[in-house]
Amino acid sequence: MSELTETGSQGALRVGWTAEVDDYAIACEWALGGKVILVGDAAGGVHAFNGKSGAAIWEQSETHDGGLMAMVVHPGGKSFATAGQDGKVMIWNADNGEEITVLDLGSGWVEHLAWSLDGQSLAAASSRFVHVFSVDGQEIWQSEAHPSTVSAVSWSSTEELATACYGRVSFYNGATGELTQKLEWKGSLVSMDLSPDGDIVACGSQDNSVHFWRRSTAKDSMMSGYAGKPSNLAFDRGGSLLATGGGPIVIVWCFDAGGPEGTRPGLLELHDEPVSSLAFAPRGLRLASGAKDGGIVLWALQSDGQGDAIGAALMSDLVSAIAWRPDGRILAAVDAKGKVTAWRLKK
């Protein structure tokens, strides 16, 4: 594809609207069935924009003293949670931005949040502990101290909670907090994603590798040779493909037919700088990637992980988050300069 200028786009991506927030935008998610997109910035601001026009709807500034660290929309789309450096988790009404509940976890930073798939539980990671709350804000259980700071949390399809830290991935019964499985490996795990059926656990490691386990067999394997830490991982909705960052090339591994061991991954090459965000479309094998150079690329993949670029766009700085509208027809992204952009997909 030819050289792009800022806000330009090519191929299947057509700019729908752009907007801005006041600081480094760190999160964007769709709410209210795709009618609204929520954006969180590092200074603690949360902003709601009309999903079709980009018009500002409401704004909450300085929600967390010291800054915002995480934001996640409830599966029902009507509320969302934020967390920050002040040790608090706040639950908000997505329609009007009104505060619903404040949960105080103490003095530690709350860096990771995750709603259970049924929306009945919210997990929050602070330092070496994970707290699980009911949807109305009552604490259900707290984990024992992990060996190191919790680096990722994720819920499996069986309503188990997975956590990653140095040396291990742990699975807990979501209702009781009982530790049900530990997957151990000597290394610092910096990212994690679960396959949709919960059987495959993939983690990016500090040593520039991706480590994964099959829970059904407890066997593990490693893909090495990345240029940097694979901080961005994404399974497709079917669970057969795993897209990974860790450099300017998006590497896609296929878990079908006995893979990925002994197979050749898909190598998606178009970015000039390391990948900073990855997201598969809600349906099909379309993958969006964002990079530190501000580039956005839309890829059409085959079942073996090979693929081609079918669209590209350029933002003003590092792409910090990408979000597909639930119907897969609009792609939104935010960057380090606070720019928010939505692209319509050409048919």
Side-chain angles (χ1 to χ4, degrees):
M1 293 189 175
S2 61
E3 185 176 350
L4 288 168
T5 58
E6 188 179 324
T7 74
S9 62
Q10 294 179 3
L13 294 178
R14 180 178 62 196
V15 176
W17 54 263
T18 61
E20 291 186 5
V21 298
D22 298 331
D23 208 291
Y24 190 131
I26 63 170
C28 67
E29 290 202 27
W30 293 89
L32 299 174
K35 295 179 180 178
V36 169
I37 187 162
L38 303 174
V39 176
D41 66 46
V46 180
H47 315 259
F49 299 95
N50 183 289
K52 289 185 177 180
S53 68
I57 301 173
W58 55 258
E59 175 186 347
Q60 290 285 359
S61 61
E62 299 179 356
T63 57
H64 293 274
D65 292 340
L68 184 78
M69 303 200 75
M71 182 183 78
V72 62
V73 173
H74 185 273
K78 296 182 179 180
S79 62
F80 66 99
T82 61
Q85 296 182 25
D86 56 4
K88 292 182 173 59
V89 174
M90 304 180 74
I91 301 177
W92 308 83
N93 184 312
D95 186 50
N96 55 25
E98 291 183 355
E99 177 188 302
I100 298 174
T101 306
V102 179
L103 311 172
D104 193 343
L105 275 63
S107 59
W109 292 6
V110 184
E111 298 187 64
H112 306 285
L113 294 172
W115 288 102
S116 61
L117 303 188
D118 64 4
Q120 294 302 302
S121 303
L122 175 65
S126 176
S127 185
R128 297 191 296 150
F129 296 90
V130 172
H131 305 256
V132 174
F133 299 91
S134 65
V135 69
D136 59 0
Q138 299 300 310
E139 186 169 77
I140 303 173
W141 56 269
Q142 175 186 309
S143 74
E144 82 285 1
H146 287 65
S148 64
T149 298
V150 175
S151 57
V153 295
S154 182
W155 292 86
S156 77
S157 58
T158 57
E159 299 300 338
E160 288 179 294
L161 179 67
T163 67
C165 66
Y166 183 91
R168 81 184 200 202
V169 172
S170 304
F171 279 84
Y172 298 89
N173 181 299
T176 66
E178 177 188 0
L179 180 64
T180 57
Q181 188 176 27
K182 284 197 298 185
L183 304 172
E184 296 181 320
W185 180 71
K186 292 183 179 180
S188 181
L189 305 176
V190 298
S191 60
M192 177 176 66
D193 198 18
L194 307 182
S195 62
D197 64 3
D199 185 51
I200 302 169
V201 186
C203 291
S205 177
Q206 186 79 27
D207 66 359
N208 298 354
S209 69
V210 173
H211 204 89
F212 73 89
W213 295 261
R214 288 184 175 88
R215 296 187 64 202
S216 54
T217 64
K219 291 183 178 180
D220 63 325
S221 190
M222 181 176 70
M223 293 88 88
S224 58
Y226 286 83
K229 294 182 295 184
S231 300
N232 300 100
L233 309 173
F235 274 103
D236 78 293
R237 296 300 186 263
S240 61
L241 298 181
L242 174 68
T244 62
I249 301 173
V250 181
I251 301 177
V252 184
W253 298 93
C254 179
F255 282 79
D256 285 344
E261 297 95 332
T263 65
R264 183 178 179 179
L267 302 177
L268 311 181
E269 302 182 59
L270 196 59
H271 292 295
D272 293 327
E273 293 187 24
V275 172
S276 54
S277 190
L278 292 167
F280 272 99
R283 291 178 293 276
L285 294 180
R286 286 186 171 182
L287 172 71
S289 60
K292 290 185 176 181
D293 57 11
I296 296 276
V297 181
L298 179 63
W299 308 90
L301 303 186
Q302 302 169 20
S303 59
D304 62 357
Q306 307 298 320
D308 297 298
I310 60 172
L314 185 64
M315 299 192 73
S316 56
D317 208 322
L318 178 151
V319 179
S320 44
I322 297 174
W324 289 88
R325 199 171 70 175
D327 62 4
R329 297 178 64 182
I330 295 181
L331 179 70
V334 293
D335 71 19
K337 288 188 177 178
K339 179 163 286 186
V340 187
T341 305
W343 298 270
R344 300 181 185 277
L345 270 64
K346 297 178 183 177
K347 296 182 179 180

